[in-house]
Amino acid sequence: GTGSNILSSLQDLFWLSKSKLEKQLQIISVLQWVLTFLVMGVACTLILMYILCTDCWAIAALYLAWLVFDWNTPKKGGRRSQWVRNWAIWRYFRDYFPIRLVKTHNLLTTRNYIFGYHPHGIMGLGAFCNFSTEATGVGQKFPGIRPYLATLAGNFRMPILRDYLMSGGICPVNRDSIDYILSKNGTGNAIIIVVGGAAESLNCTPGKNSVTLKNRKGFVKLALRHGADLVPVYSFGENEVYKQVIFEEGSWGRWVQKKFQKHIGFAPCIFHGRGLFSSNTWGLLPYSKPITTVVGEPITIPKVDNPSQEEVDFYHSIYVDSLIKLFDKYKIKFGLPETEVLEVN
């Protein structure tokens, strides 16, 4: 009896330790991504400059030579690595929140697609996990479809960071890159564009479901020019993982944010999550709130070489209606009240 009790206690201790270890690995996986998002580009640039001033300057010089040779690769679909996309660290990243990907319709491999991802959130954590890794099974749920998450082109001017991003299938959100993928890369491609961008990130806060979409029509024009079907995507919980100071319109804080957005392409946000060692302290780690990304029904788009404004407006209105219907259909299932309304700005 005593031996059995001791064995049972040891088993309980083992599972407790395993649970704690997994939680720590989850925290580490998320922390490395947050640091990548915030400082990796600048840090790698500074390190490269420092190495150029040391006895190891030849290493930095060789990398810079390679960088010049490889400069246009991001514009041509990048250089994805299935090995990187399948890293175990991304599964720990997924389980920290957790993050889920919900498929509602099949996608044909004979078509190309533009996914409109909403909302942006602070860092687009759901967009990254679902479409730049295989942690939530995007490859199994949409067989034959190659997802490309589009982000700021400036990230691909940063040494090392550019290669890290490309390995996950991330590409610049500019016309050259998107045109190449949709016209010279065959079919079965899906470009994920976070439509609201930096402007939308300024208004994301827990409990708020709003998207910046009314005047965002460039992605619809691209879809028409290439005959790529539009797919609305909504991520429930994306706004819940960070708390942000929201500056009112007309305030000095909002003025500074808009100047950054206009001239640099991103808007600095004052936000916080939880601390590294305790969820009761402030820090850079996001709160572990569920994020559920629902991929809606594709909207068939004709190929029009020079679409008129009326055509763009027509398909944009269809897209907006489809996004609202997707939100309304799944909002109760993922924890929102029936009275919740998606605000379209």
Side-chain angles (χ1 to χ4, degrees):
T2 304
S4 297
N5 290 337
I6 293 173
L7 181 61
S8 177
S9 298
L10 287 173
Q11 287 175 337
D12 290 342
L13 182 62
F14 171 77
W15 287 113
L16 180 63
S17 299
K18 183 179 179 180
S19 174
K20 286 184 176 179
L21 176 61
E22 287 186 349
K23 188 62 180 177
Q24 294 306 314
L25 289 172
Q26 290 170 14
I27 290 173
I28 291 169
S29 69
V30 175
L31 179 62
Q32 68 83 27
W33 169 245
V34 171
L35 294 177
T36 296
F37 183 89
L38 295 176
V39 302
M40 184 178 179
V42 174
C44 288
T45 302
L46 293 175
I47 291 170
L48 196 66
M49 291 172 63
Y50 171 76
I51 294 174
L52 280 171
C53 300
T54 68
D55 292 339
C56 298
W57 64 268
I59 296 174
L62 283 172
Y63 178 79
L64 289 173
W66 159 253
L67 193 62
V68 172
F69 174 78
D70 195 55
W71 190 253
N72 289 322
T73 297
K75 298 178 182 179
K76 298 180 179 180
R79 188 170 46 247
R80 73 173 56 221
S81 166
Q82 284 302 115
W83 176 65
V84 173
R85 288 175 61 89
N86 281 290
W87 277 353
I89 195 172
W90 306 131
R91 296 193 289 275
Y92 289 112
F93 183 99
R94 171 199 66 196
D95 294 339
Y96 173 85
F97 297 91
I99 296 174
R100 291 176 54 209
L101 180 66
V102 176
K103 170 186 174 180
T104 62
H105 291 79
N106 292 325
L107 298 181
L108 299 176
T109 57
T110 55
R111 300 284 293 173
N112 283 324
Y113 301 90
I114 293 180
F115 287 18
Y117 184 93
H118 314 268
H120 183 286
I122 295 292
M123 297 185 185
L125 294 165
F128 169 76
C129 185
N130 285 307
F131 301 112
S132 294
T133 81
E134 293 296 329
T136 56
V138 64
Q140 289 74 41
K141 291 175 180 176
F142 299 103
I145 301 297
R146 293 179 298 277
Y148 294 87
L149 177 61
T151 187
L152 287 176
N155 289 324
F156 297 89
R157 301 187 186 102
M158 304 278 192
I160 310 300
L161 175 63
R162 67 189 293 277
D163 302 288
Y164 190 39
L165 294 178
M166 284 194 292
S167 67
I170 301 178
C171 68
V173 62
N174 57 32
R175 181 169 173 175
D176 289 343
S177 178
I178 294 173
D179 282 348
Y180 183 91
I181 293 170
L182 295 180
S183 63
K184 299 179 181 179
N185 202 40
T187 58
N189 302 293
I191 296 180
I192 298 88
I193 299 177
V194 186
V195 178
E200 191 172 84
S201 69
L202 297 178
N203 296 314
C204 66
T205 188
K208 187 172 184 179
N209 289 283
S210 66
V211 296
T212 301
L213 183 57
K214 279 184 180 178
N215 297 316
R216 299 294 176 109
K217 300 180 181 180
F219 72 107
V220 178
K221 190 172 184 178
L222 280 170
L224 283 164
R225 288 180 60 245
H226 293 284
D229 294 347
L230 288 171
V231 182
V233 179
Y234 197 85
S235 237
F236 294 89
E238 184 73 64
N239 284 347
E240 307 299 317
V241 297
Y242 279 111
K243 295 178 181 178
Q244 180 184 187
V245 177
I246 304 293
F247 293 102
E248 297 296 329
E249 290 292 339
S251 66
W252 68 269
R254 184 53 64 99
W255 179 84
V256 170
Q257 288 176 323
K258 287 188 172 181
K259 287 295 182 182
F260 267 84
Q261 178 190 336
K262 180 179 179 180
H263 297 293
I264 301 178
F266 76 92
C269 302
I270 299 177
F271 65 92
H272 74 84
R274 53 155 290 182
L276 182 59
F277 301 107
S278 171
S279 59
N280 297 321
T281 58
W282 287 12
L284 289 176
L285 277 177
Y287 293 104
S288 53
K289 303 287 186 179
I291 298 175
T292 306
T293 302
V294 184
V295 180
E297 182 178 4
I299 303 165
T300 303
I301 303 294
K303 189 176 187 304
V304 183
D305 291 334
N306 294 295
S308 65
Q309 189 60 50
E310 289 75 18
E311 289 172 312
V312 172
D313 291 343
F314 174 73
Y315 285 102
H316 181 268
S317 66
I318 293 176
Y319 178 85
V320 173
D321 290 342
S322 297
L323 179 65
I324 293 172
K325 289 177 182 177
L326 180 70
F327 177 85
D328 289 339
K329 182 176 180 179
Y330 289 95
K331 62 184 178 182
I332 298 175
K333 184 175 181 180
F334 300 121
L336 297 178
E338 189 174 359
T339 54
E340 185 71 20
V341 175
L342 179 62
E343 182 183 331
V344 180
N345 299 313

